Amino acid sequence: SALYARQSQPRRAAEILTEALQHVAPDPTLYLRIGALHAQRQAWAEAENAYDRAVRLTQGVQRAEALDQLGDLYLQAGRDREGFICYAEASRLRAGGSSTMAEKRYNQIMRAADAALLDASTRAQAALEAYLAGRNVYREEVWAALNDFRTQVQEMSSFIGSVVPPATAKTAHLERKLAYSLAAEAALAGLDYIDQGAGKRQRLDDYRRLVGEALTTIRGLRHPA
C-alpha cells in the first residue's frame, strides 16, 4: 500500500489496505489511512465511510483525533456544518486538557470557523457596497448575501458555544464569542436596512460599526500581535 501511495496511486493503495482488513481485527489506524487516501483523490463518500469506521472503533483522545480528521474531510468537501459538529465533539472529548496538542488543534479549528465567517462577511459587504454604489446588484441579492452571513454567524456561534477550550485559550474564547455576538447584531442591522430602505439609515450605520468591531476582534485573534 505504501509503495502504491508513493507512486501516486491512492485508489490502489486504499484497496490493498481494505483487503488487509479482511484478515485482521478492525484497526482504526488502518481506517484513518484509508480515509486519507480516498480524500487525496477527493473520493468523499469512501473517505467519509473509512473515517466514520475509525470514529466508531475509538474512544477518548483517539476518538477526538479521528473526529478531527473526519471534520477536516467535511470542510474539504464543502460540508462546513458537519465538519464543525465533529470538531465540537472532539473538543468535548478533550475537555480539561491543557496539552500542547490540544491547544494547537483548538487554534486550528477556531481559524477554520473564523475563515468561514469572514468569507460570508466579505460576500455580504461586497454585495451591499455594490448596491449602495448603484452598480448592477439587486436588492434581493444583497438581502440573500446578508441572510447567508446571518446564518453563518448563527451556526458558528452555536459551534463556538459548544467547544470546550483548553485552559490557555479561555480568555481568547470569550473574546471570540463576543465578536460573534457583534457579528450577529450586524447581520440583523443590515437586513433591517435592506428591508426598510433609506428611512433606516441608522441601521446601515449600525451594521458598519458592529461588523467593523467584530471583524477587527476576529482578525486580531487570528493574527495576534
Side-chain angles (χ1 to χ4, degrees), residues 8 14 47 79 85 128 163 189:
S8 300
R79 296 162 62 181
I85 289 173
L128 178 60
V163 167

Side-chain angles (χ1 to χ4, degrees), residues 177-188:
K177 288 176 71 174
L178 176 60
Y180 276 57
S181 295
L182 291 173
E185 291 182 44
L188 288 174

